[in-house]
Amino acid sequence: MSTVIEQLVEARLVAAAPRMPNIPATLRYDRGDPFAVRMTFPAPATLEGVEVCWTFARELLAAGLESPQGHGDVRVRPYGYDRVVLEFHAPEGTAVIHVRAAEIRRFLEAAGELVPAGLEHLQLDLDGALADLMRDAQ
């Protein structure tokens, strides 16, 4: 069984222009980092012209389907009956995108099949990580 889920999604960038451009994005979930989700935007879709990857909690994404969530760099909230708004805050500015809620739900379902929500801690080798830390401290 695969340890990584990747799903392409169509994100719509909210901009001052009347037409909101569609940009590709990839959602990624890795069993090796069970609490996190990564959303990557390809270089042509970014102001800097380099690939940009945001990492945030899977729980934040799931809760943001139902009500506004987040107080930091990443915020998620429902928008209408079929969209989710993701806000990415950085020193350079804020990017606001819309994604279809169905795409987010499909991604979260696949991630949940890989690692059920609430059981993420079972994927971590805390004893091994602690042993590595102790070995490095000597």
Side-chain angles (χ1 to χ4, degrees), residues 51-69:
E51 182 177 273
V52 173
C53 181
W54 286 84
T55 303
F56 49 96
R58 172 170 76 159
E59 184 179 352
L60 173 70
L61 186 61
L65 285 167
E66 305 304 323
S67 65
Q69 301 291 320

Side-chain angles (χ1 to χ4, degrees), residues 6-137:
E6 282 193 346
Q7 179 179 316
L8 291 174
V9 295
E10 183 179 292
R12 182 166 286 172
L13 181 64
V14 178
R19 174 81 175 116
M20 295 188 294
N22 291 332
I23 56 175
T26 302
L27 285 168
R28 186 176 205 275
Y29 181 78
D30 185 340
R31 181 186 294 178
D33 191 2
F35 291 100
V37 167
R38 287 173 180 72
M39 189 167 205
T40 305
F41 300 92
T46 69
L47 293 175
E48 298 83 17
V50 295
E51 182 177 273
V52 173
C53 181
W54 286 84
T55 303
F56 49 96
R58 172 170 76 159
E59 184 179 352
L60 173 70
L61 186 61
L65 285 167
E66 305 304 323
S67 65
Q69 301 291 320
H71 300 285
D73 294 342
V74 180
R75 300 171 192 177
V76 184
R77 68 179 184 275
Y79 182 78
Y81 72 93
D82 69 340
R83 299 267 179 198
V84 175
V85 173
L86 290 98
E87 294 181 16
F88 300 99
H89 297 261
E92 301 80 20
T94 300
V96 179
I97 63 164
H98 290 185
V99 178
R100 287 187 192 99
E103 290 183 292
I104 301 290
R105 283 189 179 92
R106 187 170 61 246
F107 172 77
L108 289 170
E109 286 172 13
E113 289 176 13
L114 191 60
V115 177
L119 299 179
E120 295 91 349
H121 66 283
L122 298 177
Q123 302 300 312
L124 303 175
D125 178 13
L126 297 178
D127 291 334
L130 183 58
D132 289 344
L133 285 173
M134 297 302 287
R135 186 174 30 259
D136 291 343

